[in-house]
C-alpha cells in the first residue's frame, strides 16, 4: 500500500528518496541504515516526478528535501512496519472475521463446551482478531498518508517563503488547517425549487451541474416527488443524510465532485435506477447500497475504492451495467456473481488478482473489461467458459500465461484483446490471427480435453473392479461355504473302509 504518484505525488517523491528499513535482499542479515538528514538527491525518474518537480522546483534543494523528509518520518516507519506485517487482507475475509468475533462475543456466556472445542474456538478467535487488526493497521496507514501529503504541501510552501528550516521542522507537526474553508452557499436555483416544493408545486427534475456548489441543504430531502437529481461537476464534499427521503428518486448523478463517502441513507432509495458517483474520492461504499434493488446502472469509476461491500450483489438482481474501473480493487466479492441481469462489467485499471470462482453464473454478461490489472491478474477461473453470452472481452495488459480450455465454449465472442500478456496458450501466431483463430484453437483444445476425459472414463469402466472391504468379505464367506459343501459331499460318497484307510495314512504322515 505504498503511496502512488497519482494519489500522493509529493509523499511518493519524498519517500522514494528515503531507503527502507527492510533489507534489500535475503542475503542481508541487517537492515539498511537510514539517513534522514541526507536523503538521496538523485534526479527525478518518470513522467510523474518530472511534472511534479517542474511545478515545485524547490524539491531539488537539499535543505527543503531534508525538512520534508523529517516531516514524514512517521509515515516511513509505518510503511516498514506494514511491509513486515504483510499485505492487507481481502475485504470478504475481514467481514467474515468481524462476523465471527461478534458471534463469539454473543455466545461467550453460554454453557462451557468440551476442552478440545474451546481450544479450537480460541484459535479461531485469535486468527480473526489478527485479520481485523491487520486491516485496521492498513486503514490507519491510509489516513496517515493523506495527512502526510497535506503536511508536506504546507512544509514546502513555508520553506519556499524563506523561513528558517528549524522553524519549519518545529511547525510541521502542529497541524492546523491549510486554507480556510468557505461557507457553503446554497444556489439560487435550489432556493427556488425548495420554495416551489413548499408551495405544493410538482418538482420532478433538479439539474444543478456545473454550478460550483459546495453545499446541499437538508431541506432537499423534502421534495418527495423528485425523480431526477443531477449535481455533477460541482465541489460537494458530502451528501446530506436527508437524501434518503427522496423515496421516488430514479436518477442520482453526483459525478466529478470531492466526495469521500456516501451516507448510509442512500440504501433507502429503493426506486433508484441510475447512480453515478464517478470521479470522486470515495474510499468505500456503504453496505446499505445493496438495498438499492431497483438499480439498473451503477458507476463508481475513478475513485480510490480498495473493495466493494461484501453483499453488494445480493439484492441487485436488476443491475445491467456496472463500472468500477480506475480504482484500487484487489478483488470482486463473490456476491457480484448474483447479478444475474448484468450485461456489462468494466473493471479495468485496478489491482485485481483474479475473479470469483462463480463468475460463470453471470449468464447475461455480454461485455467484460479486465484490462490493465497488470501483474496482479494471472489466470481465469474454470467457470469462465460458462459465460456463453459474452461478445466483448478485454484481457490486455495483464500477466495471463494460458487461457483455460473451457474458453473454447465462448462461441458468441466477437471482440477480443489479449495483447501485453505472456501468453503461451494460445501461442502468439494464433493470437495474431484474431478472435476467429483464437476461438477455433481453443474450441479444438476443448473438444480434445472432453474426448480425453471420456476415454479415461471408459477405461475406468472397463477395468477390473476394485473390491470394497464389504464385497471382499461377502465373496470370501461364499467361497468358504462352497468348500465346506464340497468336502461334505466328498465324505458322504466314499465307503467307510476307504475313508478309514485315508485317515490312517494321514495320521502316519503326521507322526
Amino acid at each position: 500500500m505504498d503511496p502512488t504518484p497519482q494519489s500522493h505525488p509529493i509523499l511518493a517523491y519524498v519517500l522514494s528518496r528515503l531507503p527502507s528499513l527492510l533489507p534489500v535482499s535475503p542475503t542481508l542479515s541487517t537492515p539498511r541504515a537510514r539517513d534522514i538528514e541526507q536523503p538521496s538527491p538523485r534526479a527525478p525518474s518518470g513522467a510523474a516526478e518530472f511534472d511534479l518537480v517542474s511545478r515545485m522546483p524547490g524539491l531539488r534543494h537539499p535543505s527543503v528535501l531534508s525538512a520534508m523528509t523529517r516531516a514524514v518520518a512517521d509515515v516511513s516507519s509505518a510503511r516498514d512496519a506494514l511491509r513486515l506485517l504483510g499485505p492487507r487482507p481481502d475485504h470478504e475475509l475481514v467481514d467474515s472475521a468481524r462476523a465471527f468475533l461478534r458471534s463469539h462475543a454473543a455466545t461467550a456466556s453460554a454453557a462451557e463446551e468440551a476442552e478440545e472445542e474451546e481450544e479450537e474456538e480460541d484459535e479461531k478467535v485469535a486468527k480473526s482478531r489478527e485479520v481485523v487488526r491487520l486491516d485496521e493497521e492498513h486503514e490507519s496507514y491510509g489516513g496517515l498518508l493523506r495527512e502526510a501529503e497535506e503536511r508536506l504541501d504546507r512544509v514546502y510552501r513555508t520553506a519556499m517563503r524563506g523561513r528558517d528550516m528549524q522553524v519549519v521542522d518545529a511547525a510541521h507537526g502542529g497541524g492546523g488547517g491549510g486554507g480556510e474553508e468557505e461557507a457553503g452557499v446554497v444556489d439560487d436555483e435550489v432556493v427556488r425549487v425548495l420554495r416551489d416544493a413548499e408551495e405544493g408545486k410538482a418538482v420532478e427534475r433538479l439539474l444543478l451541474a456545473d454550478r460550483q456548489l459546495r453545499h446541499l441543504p437538508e431541506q432537499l430531502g423534502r421534495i418527495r416527488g423528485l425523480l431526477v437529481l443531477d449535481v455533477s461537476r460541482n465541489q460537494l464534499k458530502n451528501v446530506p443524510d436527508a437524501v434518503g427521503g427522496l423515496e421516488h428518486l430514479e436518477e442520482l448523478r453526483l459525478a466529478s465532485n470531492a466526495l469521500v463517502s456516501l451516507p448510509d441513507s442512500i440504501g433507502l432509495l429503493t426506486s433508484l435506477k441510475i447512480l453515478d458517483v464517478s470521479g470522486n474520492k470515495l474510499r468505500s461504499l456503504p453496505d446499505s447500497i445493496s438495498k438499492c434493488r431497483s438499480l439498473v446502472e451503477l458507476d463508481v469509476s475513478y475513485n480510490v475504492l480498495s473493495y466493494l461491500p461484501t453483499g453488494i450483489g445480493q439484492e441487485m438482481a436488476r443491475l445491467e451495467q456496472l463500472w468500477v474501473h480506475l480504482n484500487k480493487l484487489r478483488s470482486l466479492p463473490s456476491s457480484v456473481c448474483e447479478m444475474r441481469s448484468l450485461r456489462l462489467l468494466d473493471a479495468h485499471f485496478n489491482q485485481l488478482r483474479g475473479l470469483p470462482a462463480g463468475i460463470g453464473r453471470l449468464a447475461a454478461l455480454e461485455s467484460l473489461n479486465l484490462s490493465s490489472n497488470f501483474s496482479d491478474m494471472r489466470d481465469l477461473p474454470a467457470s469462465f467458459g460458462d459465460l456463453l453470452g459474452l461478445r466483448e472481452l478485454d484481457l490486455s495488459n495483464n500477466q495471463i500465461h494460458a487461457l483455460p480450455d473451457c474458453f473454447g465454449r465462448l462461441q458468441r465472442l466477437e471482440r477480443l484483446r489479449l495483447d501485453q500478456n505472456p501468453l503461451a496458450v494460445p501461442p502468439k501466431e494464433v493470437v495474431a490471427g484474431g478472435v476467429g483463430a483464437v476461438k477455433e484453437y481453443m474450441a479444438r483444445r476443448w473438444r480434445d480435453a472432453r474426448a480425453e476425459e471420456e476415454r479415461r472414463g471408459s477405461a475406468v469402466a472397463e477395468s477390473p473392479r476394485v473390491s470394497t472391504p464389504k464385497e471382499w468379505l461377502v465373496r470370501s464367506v461364499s467361497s468358504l461355504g462352497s468348500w465346506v459343501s464340497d468336502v461334505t459331499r466328498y465324505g458322504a460318497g466314499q465307503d467307510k473302509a476307504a475313508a478309514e484307510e485315508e485317515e490312517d495314512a494321514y495320521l502316519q504322515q503326521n507322526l
Side-chain angles (χ1 to χ4, degrees):
M1 190 180 169
D2 284 341
T4 64
Q6 290 76 26
S7 56
H8 309 90
I10 310 175
L11 183 58
Y13 178 90
V14 173
L15 289 183
S16 68
R17 276 132 185 88
L18 188 63
S20 170
L21 280 176
L22 299 178
V24 294
S25 72
T27 59
L28 294 179
S29 59
T30 58
R32 292 182 294 178
R34 183 202 302 273
D35 189 355
I36 292 181
E37 299 299 328
Q38 295 296 328
S40 172
R42 62 180 174 83
S45 60
E49 287 193 356
F50 275 105
D51 179 64
L52 178 65
V53 172
S54 66
R55 292 187 291 107
M56 305 175 72
L59 289 174
R60 301 295 305 278
H61 195 282
S63 59
V64 174
L65 184 58
S66 178
M68 298 178 80
T69 301
R70 291 194 298 272
V72 294
D74 54 344
V75 175
S76 185
S77 298
R79 175 186 62 173
D80 291 329
L82 281 182
R83 286 179 176 175
L84 290 172
L85 288 173
R88 187 169 186 170
D90 181 83
H91 181 62
E92 286 190 86
L93 179 61
V94 175
D95 274 2
S96 299
R98 292 185 190 277
F100 174 77
L101 291 175
R102 287 195 296 269
S103 174
H104 176 74
T107 59
S109 59
E112 294 185 0
E113 301 176 354
E115 184 176 348
E116 295 80 3
E117 294 181 359
E118 288 183 356
E119 292 178 356
E120 183 179 352
E121 188 81 0
D122 291 342
E123 184 178 354
K124 288 183 179 180
V125 170
K127 289 182 178 179
S128 297
R129 286 174 177 167
E130 182 63 24
V131 168
V132 172
R133 186 184 70 83
L134 182 55
D135 183 69
E136 291 174 348
E137 290 284 351
H138 278 273
E139 182 65 26
S140 299
Y141 181 62
L144 192 64
L145 295 183
R146 293 186 293 272
E147 294 174 2
E149 182 73 8
E150 297 174 0
R151 187 192 312 159
L152 285 176
D153 184 60
R154 294 196 302 271
V155 171
Y156 178 81
R157 286 187 279 105
T158 303
M160 294 309 291
R161 284 199 297 266
R163 296 183 60 181
D164 183 81
M165 286 299 127
Q166 292 181 350
V167 176
V168 173
D169 190 32
H172 80 262
E180 296 181 359
E181 186 71 25
E182 296 182 12
V185 178
V186 180
D187 188 271
D188 291 340
E189 179 71 7
V190 180
V191 175
R192 183 187 65 78
V193 169
L194 290 174
R195 186 180 299 114
D196 289 346
E198 289 178 355
E199 294 174 357
K201 297 180 181 179
V203 179
E204 294 185 348
R205 300 171 65 86
L206 183 54
L207 308 179
L208 299 171
D210 300 298
R211 299 293 186 94
Q212 301 298 309
L213 293 179
R214 293 176 177 268
H215 174 69
L216 288 178
E218 290 282 343
Q219 293 85 344
L220 197 68
R222 301 176 185 173
I223 311 177
R224 301 296 183 182
L226 197 63
L227 299 178
V228 178
L229 174 59
D230 186 354
V231 288
S232 303
R233 300 181 297 282
N234 283 288
Q235 301 174 29
L236 300 175
K237 292 186 176 181
N238 57 69
V239 176
D241 286 328
V243 73
L246 303 175
E247 55 190 18
H248 300 293
L249 195 66
E250 297 181 356
E251 186 174 332
L252 177 57
R253 298 189 180 274
L254 300 165
S256 301
N257 279 282
L259 302 175
V260 295
S261 64
L262 297 176
D264 287 332
S265 61
I266 201 165
L268 299 175
L269 303 179
T270 54
S271 299
L272 197 63
K273 296 179 179 179
I274 298 175
L275 176 59
D276 185 356
V277 292
S278 61
N280 282 284
K281 301 178 180 179
L282 297 175
R283 297 190 292 274
S284 63
L285 298 175
D287 291 338
S288 61
I289 198 171
S290 63
K291 300 296 182 182
C292 299
R293 57 180 64 93
S294 298
L295 271 181
V296 176
E297 298 180 12
L298 175 59
D299 191 346
V300 296
S301 59
Y302 290 89
N303 281 284
V304 288
L305 299 174
S306 58
Y307 64 89
L308 297 177
T310 299
I312 190 171
Q314 291 175 350
E315 299 185 51
M316 291 188 182
R318 300 180 184 178
L319 193 68
E320 297 181 5
Q321 301 184 74
L322 175 60
W323 294 274
V324 295
H325 54 283
L326 282 121
N327 278 286
K328 298 181 179 181
L329 298 177
R330 292 168 290 149
S331 64
L332 296 177
S334 56
S335 65
V336 166
C337 304
E338 306 304 321
M339 298 176 175
R340 302 303 175 86
S341 300
L342 198 64
R343 294 187 295 105
L344 178 147
L345 173 57
D346 190 344
H348 79 273
F349 224 112
N350 277 284
Q351 301 169 17
L352 293 179
R353 301 171 183 174
L355 296 174
I359 194 70
R361 296 203 296 271
L362 299 179
L365 196 63
E366 297 179 358
S367 178
L368 177 59
N369 191 344
L370 298 171
S371 64
S372 300
N373 281 282
F374 305 107
S375 60
D376 298 295
M377 178 69 73
R378 296 180 177 272
D379 50 36
L380 301 174
S383 68
F384 199 84
D386 294 333
L387 300 175
L388 301 181
L390 204 59
R391 297 182 182 274
E392 300 180 0
L393 176 62
D394 193 343
L395 295 172
S396 58
N397 288 296
N398 288 305
Q399 285 295 311
I400 299 175
H401 289 77
L403 299 180
D405 290 340
C406 62
F407 196 91
R409 301 176 61 197
L410 307 181
Q411 293 302 313
R412 295 187 182 182
L413 205 59
E414 299 171 355
R415 297 181 182 178
L416 175 64
R417 286 195 60 189
L418 294 170
D419 51 289
Q420 303 300 316
N421 277 289
L423 275 173
V425 178
K428 293 181 180 179
E429 56 270 20
V430 174
V431 175
V435 61
V438 172
K439 286 168 59 178
E440 182 180 352
Y441 179 89
M442 296 306 298
R444 185 165 59 251
R445 284 183 61 94
W446 172 248
R447 289 194 298 270
D448 292 346
R450 293 298 301 273
E452 176 65 18
E453 184 179 343
E454 291 177 1
R455 186 190 66 78
R456 291 180 179 177
S458 299
V460 171
E462 295 173 0
S463 63
R465 189 172 54 158
V466 179
S467 299
T468 64
K470 181 178 180 181
E471 292 172 336
W472 178 87
L473 182 59
V474 170
R475 288 203 304 272
S476 299
V477 171
S478 178
S479 299
L480 182 60
S482 299
W483 180 81
V484 170
S485 178
D486 291 342
V487 170
T488 303
R489 286 198 304 271
Y490 172 76
Q494 302 294 326
D495 57 43
K496 185 176 181 181
E500 291 176 351
E501 182 180 347
E502 281 190 12
E503 184 178 355
D504 290 342
Y506 178 79
L507 292 172
Q508 289 295 331
Q509 182 182 352
N510 283 274
L511 290 171

